[in-house]
Amino acid sequence: MAESTDRSRSRWRCPACGTSLDPVPPDASGENRLACPDCGGQFRIRVRAGDAQTATFSGEVPAAQPPVEPPVVGGLDLFVRSWALRGIAAVYPIVNVAGAGLVFALGGFVPVGRGWLNDELAGWPDILRTLGGLHVAVVTKDPDADFGPVIARGDAPDLFIEVADVARKLGTRPPEQLRLAYLPCCGVVAAGRSRALLLGLPLLYVLTRVELRAVLAHEMAHLAGGDATSAARTSRFVHGLGQAVDSAPPSRSPLRVWARLCRGWSDRLHAPVNRGQEARADRVSAGIAGGDAAASALVKVAAVQPLFREVLDQYDPTDDESGAAGANLYSFFRRFWSRLPEPLLTSIRHTIIQNGHLESDPAHPALLDRLAAVQSYPARPAMDTDPAPASSVVGDLESLEQMLHNRLFALRRVEPSVFHRAGS
């Protein structure tokens, strides 16, 4: 059994620098530990219950206890839960209409008539609210509310090649649109036969080409698995219904009872479905790009997000001392990231790993569990990996930075008035 455990240990790599971890003699507590010979980070081994020969990767655990997390489901359970959630989102407005008609006939016409005479009703949402129900909008009026500008093939030819290659390995067609995102995040949305992949521009500064491939494979696995077909709609429904129930005044209307029931059902389904889909996409990403690349990409994405938010809060284009004067947000962040010393970056990654079990994001499994899953996959041969920076997939990086900055900060142009001051 000891030989099997040693062989299991030799597979693990440091998520901060990618170096193979070496075993460390147990300390006074008797815990088995691994150490990185390059950066000095130490990690402990957590043995899965019921399988003494299989070890999973875990970072140094602080004294705080992790919160209770929703389960990660898969297979038939994931399929049933996801369709049940879609069914709730589809049935909710139908029952609202039928219930509103019944409440209206049983006396609800009195407050509705009063509101109509007082010009307090502007449409169906106001009528439903008067009858005690809650309207949830799942369709955004702004076509660019969830997306950034479209990336043309001439702007990023290598990016389109990478996407096409990943789509071929997944056995699916590439998305019809590639769009830039303002924040360091990625995502996919599909509506009917139209599908879009969203790529955060700040990620191009921190990832390598092979890590970018892992991120693309993760997101396109959602497309291949059908996860994104109605993900945006159901997510808007769950969040919108929760906000509506929390902010609405108390009511004993049957429509309010229906809203609270749907809110409870959807909350119980939403987190397990999202976590199951994310776990499946992680496995696909590790299978295509390699376990080490997928793990490194997970840690880097988790590390860059709080840094970018801090830079966004402190960004002042008129401040000469910070170096932001005359620079757009994204070029300023690119220079900021490139000047961070490597020891500080390594420390940030270790902190992210150490606190990975404390995450409370209902849409994603804990970072340590995700690292344990992807690092069980073998690394790709050196000839199949590309250490070049991910920014090399775009042609003119500066023009994309300026375009995204202009869309994020530009003010709406005021149209000149056709009226003139009297006497002019």
Side-chain angles (χ1 to χ4, degrees):
M1 182 179 298
E3 294 179 358
S4 175
T5 304
D6 290 340
R7 287 196 299 269
S8 176
R9 287 174 181 171
S10 65
R11 296 199 310 266
W12 303 114
R13 294 177 178 270
C14 176
C17 61
T19 305
S20 297
L21 299 176
D22 297 332
V24 175
D27 57 8
S29 63
E31 290 183 337
N32 294 320
R33 295 174 177 265
L34 300 178
C36 177
D38 285 355
C39 64
Q42 288 197 3
F43 311 92
R44 72 177 177 85
I45 288 295
R46 183 173 58 194
V47 180
R48 291 176 182 168
D51 189 358
Q53 296 185 3
T54 303
T56 59
F57 181 83
S58 175
E60 201 70 51
V61 179
Q65 295 297 322
V68 178
E69 297 181 347
V72 178
V73 298
L76 182 60
D77 193 9
L78 174 60
F79 177 81
V80 172
R81 287 173 183 255
S82 61
W83 276 102
L85 181 59
R86 298 178 188 182
I88 293 174
V91 171
Y92 177 77
I94 298 176
V95 176
N96 268 348
V97 173
L102 180 61
V103 174
F104 183 86
L106 294 178
F109 58 87
V110 175
V112 170
R114 186 184 304 114
W116 176 71
L117 291 175
N118 295 332
D119 293 330
E120 297 175 351
L121 304 181
W124 167 248
D126 293 334
I127 296 176
L128 185 62
R129 185 176 62 255
T130 302
L131 296 174
L134 297 174
H135 176 72
V136 179
V138 295
V139 178
T140 177
K141 297 180 179 180
D142 184 1
D144 285 339
D146 296 329
F147 308 104
V150 177
I151 307 174
R153 184 176 292 272
D155 295 331
D158 288 350
L159 177 59
F160 280 80
I161 295 175
E162 288 282 358
V163 170
D165 183 62
V166 171
R168 179 181 57 81
K169 294 178 180 178
L170 288 173
T172 185
R173 57 190 176 91
E176 285 70 27
Q177 285 187 346
L178 301 183
R179 288 177 174 260
L180 287 176
Y182 304 103
L183 301 177
C185 60
C186 289
V188 287
V189 174
R193 296 185 59 84
S194 177
R195 306 177 305 167
L197 187 149
L198 195 64
L199 177 62
L201 181 61
L203 292 182
L204 299 181
Y205 310 144
V206 305
L207 301 177
T208 63
R209 288 282 290 263
V210 65
E211 292 165 349
L212 176 63
R213 190 177 307 139
V215 172
L216 295 176
H218 175 99
E219 298 303 334
M220 294 180 64
H222 289 305
L223 289 179
D227 303 340
T229 303
S230 58
R233 184 181 182 89
T234 54
S235 293
R236 289 196 194 100
F237 170 78
V238 173
H239 296 309
L241 181 59
Q243 293 176 356
V245 171
D246 292 338
S247 60
S251 174
R252 296 183 179 180
S253 170
L255 294 176
R256 186 63 55 81
V257 176
W258 166 246
R260 287 195 293 265
L261 286 175
C262 287
R263 194 263 180 93
W265 294 335
S266 60
D267 283 346
R268 285 193 293 270
L269 290 171
H270 194 228
V273 166
N274 281 348
R275 286 172 174 256
Q277 292 174 350
E278 290 297 328
R280 181 175 60 188
D282 282 341
R283 295 192 295 269
V284 173
S285 172
I288 290 180
D292 54 347
S296 178
L298 285 173
V299 176
K300 284 186 176 180
V301 171
V304 72
Q305 289 177 351
L307 288 177
F308 185 80
R309 285 195 297 267
E310 184 174 350
V311 170
L312 184 60
D313 291 338
Q314 302 297 326
Y315 172 71
D316 183 2
T318 62
D319 186 5
D320 294 329
E321 296 183 359
S322 64
N328 64 64
L329 171 65
Y330 296 97
S331 62
F332 174 69
F333 179 75
R334 172 163 50 87
R335 293 198 298 266
F336 163 79
W337 179 269
S338 64
R339 294 172 182 174
L340 290 177
E342 189 60 33
L344 177 59
L345 289 175
T346 302
S347 176
I348 292 174
R349 294 166 190 164
H350 281 162
T351 302
I352 293 294
I353 296 170
Q354 291 171 6
N355 297 329
H357 75 299
L358 297 175
E359 293 181 358
S360 58
D361 181 8
H364 297 83
L367 179 60
L368 293 180
D369 294 333
R370 301 180 72 182
L371 292 175
V374 299
Q375 285 208 336
S376 64
Y377 285 75
R380 288 294 181 185
M383 64 183 66
D384 295 339
T385 62
D386 192 344
S391 57
S392 61
V393 300
V394 300
D396 191 349
L397 181 62
E398 288 77 10
S399 65
L400 292 179
E401 291 173 344
Q402 191 63 48
M403 176 179 63
L404 209 60
H405 175 89
N406 291 342
R407 286 179 62 103
L408 185 61
F409 291 100
L411 299 176
R412 294 185 180 274
R413 185 168 63 92
V414 179
E415 296 292 340
S417 174
V418 297
F419 297 99
H420 302 278
R421 186 183 300 274
S424 61

